[in-house]
Amino acid sequence: MILTVTLNTALDITYRVRGLRPHASHRVQEVTERPGGKGLNVARVLAALGHEVTVTGFAGGATGREVRERLTAVPGVADALVPVSGTTRRTIAVVDERTGDTTQLNEPGPVITPAEWSAFQEVYGGLLAGARAVALCGSLPPGVPVGAYAGLIRAARAAGVPVLLDTSGEPLRRGVAARPDLIKPNAGELAELTGSHEPLRAAQDARRRGARSVVASLGADGLLATTPEGRWRAAPPARVHGNPTGAGDSAVAGLLSGLVERLPWPDRLARATALSAATVLAPVAGEFDRAAYGELLGRVAVTAEATAA
């Protein structure tokens, strides 16, 4: 199985309105709710690709119960979330149907106690024994040490399990130093990590800091990969318009599935790019349009970057 870790799980709520205007009342046209947080989004896409997935992290309160109940309806996804006394957060996405723009509101998450963090680490260590790969995804809830991902990476490496890290800020900086197999920052997160706003230079710097491979999301321009095997850019055939929520998580699912299937890097990047674009086109945040994915996959352009002198 593939293991995804979401320390700050959420109940994702999406509102669709005809037009979003500040200081105005709005009539919501449609409401959708589903389990969320980056790792849960990744797990849902991995399951849709045919992989068995286990999710872990924290869940608590009425929102946490709702998340766990809804997870039971996702085929191929096993729930190994750790209960906590606090209440799982909600994230609110408001989609403006007129412009296609999305406004996101993210709650901070529950405060995790030292005992709850210890309980999670014990569960995580047990799950690694049956994992083919692990993805560590998203923000840290209050109370979790800022170096948490670094410790989880070291545990995965000790167990011989490939590990992907998708986070930002100080947790990313400390996590990279623990030498993950792959990180997937966006351009802004990569610039914050390295101080460079030139993506290729920044990706190379991130590898020097400890990441074995770096795949940077460049938004509508696709992905840039810097790996021990080479460097590539992958771009969708055309710019897509829609709700980008979850597009990066779908890219992570594409990369992780390609890793466990031992696909060549260009094929991994094509899959990740097509999944990301198909997620933007989906009507519900964090899902992907399967018909669009099949059509896009064969049209993604993957080109090799010249080797530095």
Side-chain angles (χ1 to χ4, degrees):
M1 61 88 176
I2 298 174
L3 177 64
T4 73
V5 174
T6 313
L7 296 178
N8 214 359
T9 53
L11 180 66
D12 284 349
I13 304 169
T14 302
Y15 295 143
R16 302 186 76 88
V17 299
R18 294 196 188 280
L20 183 62
R21 302 181 308 280
H23 317 298
S25 297
H26 297 78
R27 186 176 297 279
V28 176
Q29 305 300 310
E30 181 184 2
V31 181
T32 57
E33 297 183 356
R34 33 159 234 139
K38 293 179 73 65
L40 269 63
N41 294 340
V42 171
R44 190 166 39 249
V45 176
L46 284 168
L49 294 173
H51 290 275
E52 293 295 322
V53 190
T54 296
V55 297
T56 191
F58 298 112
T63 311
R65 288 193 295 274
E66 179 74 9
V67 167
R68 301 189 82 161
E69 287 172 7
R70 289 178 177 270
L71 276 175
T72 63
V74 183
V77 175
D79 173 3
L81 294 169
V82 176
V84 294
S85 58
T87 298
T88 295
R89 66 185 179 136
R90 297 163 299 175
T91 66
I92 312 296
V94 183
V95 180
D96 185 326
E97 294 183 334
R98 177 173 45 85
T99 65
D101 292 337
T102 301
T103 299
Q104 191 83 15
L105 302 172
N106 297 328
E107 295 179 357
V111 176
I112 305 302
T113 68
E116 290 166 344
W117 175 235
S118 295
F120 167 79
Q121 290 175 284
E122 184 174 348
V123 168
Y124 174 75
L127 291 169
L128 285 175
R132 299 173 65 193
V134 58
L136 308 174
C137 303
S139 61
L140 301 179
V144 172
V146 70
Y149 282 138
L152 299 182
I153 289 166
R154 286 191 287 268
R157 288 176 56 82
V161 180
V163 56
L164 181 155
L165 176 64
D166 184 15
T167 189
S168 60
E170 186 65 12
L172 174 60
R173 188 183 71 80
R174 297 199 186 193
V176 165
R179 306 185 68 80
D181 294 272
L182 174 62
I183 63 171
K184 197 223 61 72
N186 61 34
E189 292 162 349
L190 190 57
E192 182 182 8
L193 172 67
T194 65
S196 173
H197 291 272
E198 200 292 304
L200 181 55
R201 182 178 296 112
Q204 292 171 314
D205 187 10
R207 287 197 63 215
R208 286 191 290 269
R209 291 168 184 254
R212 176 173 172 80
S213 297
V214 179
V215 177
S217 293
L218 305 180
D221 293 327
L223 301 174
L224 168 67
T226 302
T227 80
E229 291 78 26
R231 305 185 306 191
W232 296 269
R233 289 183 187 262
R239 188 175 293 266
V240 295
H241 299 280
N243 184 356
T245 305
D249 304 330
S250 292
V252 168
L255 294 168
L256 205 59
S257 62
L259 184 155
V260 299
E261 294 171 31
R262 300 184 183 276
L263 296 181
W265 269 106
D267 292 347
R268 299 185 204 182
L269 296 168
R271 177 182 290 181
T273 302
L275 282 169
S276 182
T279 299
V280 175
L281 294 170
V284 178
E287 304 290 345
F288 71 95
D289 185 317
R290 299 194 188 203
Y293 167 64
E295 191 273 333
L296 288 164
L297 183 58
R299 299 175 57 209
V300 172
V302 181
T303 57
E305 288 281 300
T307 304

